[in-house]
Amino acid sequence: MADRSPVLRIITSAARESLKPLGLAQRGRSRLWIDDHGWWLGVVEFTPPRIAGSGLHVGAMWLWHDVEHLAFHVEAVRIGSELFRTEDQFTPLALEFSRQAAANVAALREKFPALPDVARYLTSRPVRRGFFWDGFDSGISAALVGDPDTARDHFERVLREDALAPWMVEAQKKARELHAIAADRDAMTAWVTRAVDSCRSKLGLDPVPLAIS
């Protein structure tokens, strides 16, 4: 197996060239880079395969999920892995991945400049069977922009799902709570602010004043 250390060095160098000028921050010495928008993140991962090399995964994460790990709630691009053979062979691949990452980060910024744009995107998506969180995210965004009827419809979709795992039971408990306050924008904003603050803390992100509007 090829040594992984030159792979990380090459990827980091390429990402610094394309992503750092956009304001993204590397997570420690990892293959993860973050585009921080307060209540949501753009996430870039130069995905590690089982053998040395890299792929690319870029997407958006809604921090109201209040979890301890980075996630891709909206996917921008996913590219399969390229193997590392030599530095000369892998360096241009890493540079191309970093350029594609930068382009997709810019596309996410353009797609989601503000909460109303997020709400329009989430609530207009076709219903996808098996995508449990679609209704949850759509409901939250609709309630935050003052559309309680749409919010309740989406929360009810979540509640109609068969809770086959403990995490689904917990998610439905949250959905019931949010369904009950969907018409109260102040209460919804307070709930989301608490969730986002908690998630940022769990992810080791600095606290920021949240403008959820």
Side-chain angles (χ1 to χ4, degrees), residues 37-117:
H37 296 272
W39 56 272
W40 72 277
L41 303 178
V43 182
V44 175
E45 183 180 20
F46 295 94
T47 49
R50 295 187 179 184
I51 57 179
S54 181
L56 177 66
H57 195 183
V58 181
M61 175 182 180
W62 314 124
L63 296 183
W64 55 59
H65 279 263
D66 191 11
V67 292
E68 298 176 349
H69 56 85
L70 294 172
F72 296 88
H73 298 128
V74 174
E75 194 166 276
V77 68
R78 184 193 289 266
I79 301 173
S81 299
E82 295 283 353
L83 302 182
F84 174 90
R85 296 182 177 86
T86 67
E87 292 198 20
D88 287 344
Q89 164 265 341
F90 189 72
T91 297
L93 294 173
L95 289 168
E96 177 58 24
F97 277 153
S98 68
R99 285 190 288 266
Q100 291 190 51
N104 281 279
V105 165
L108 285 172
R109 290 177 175 181
E110 185 175 350
K111 181 181 285 188
F112 302 135
L115 180 59
D117 304 280

Side-chain angles (χ1 to χ4, degrees), residues 157-170:
R157 279 175 45 202
V158 175
L159 296 173
R160 286 195 295 270
E161 295 280 348
D162 292 329
L164 303 176
W167 66 265
M168 296 179 76
V169 173
E170 183 62 27

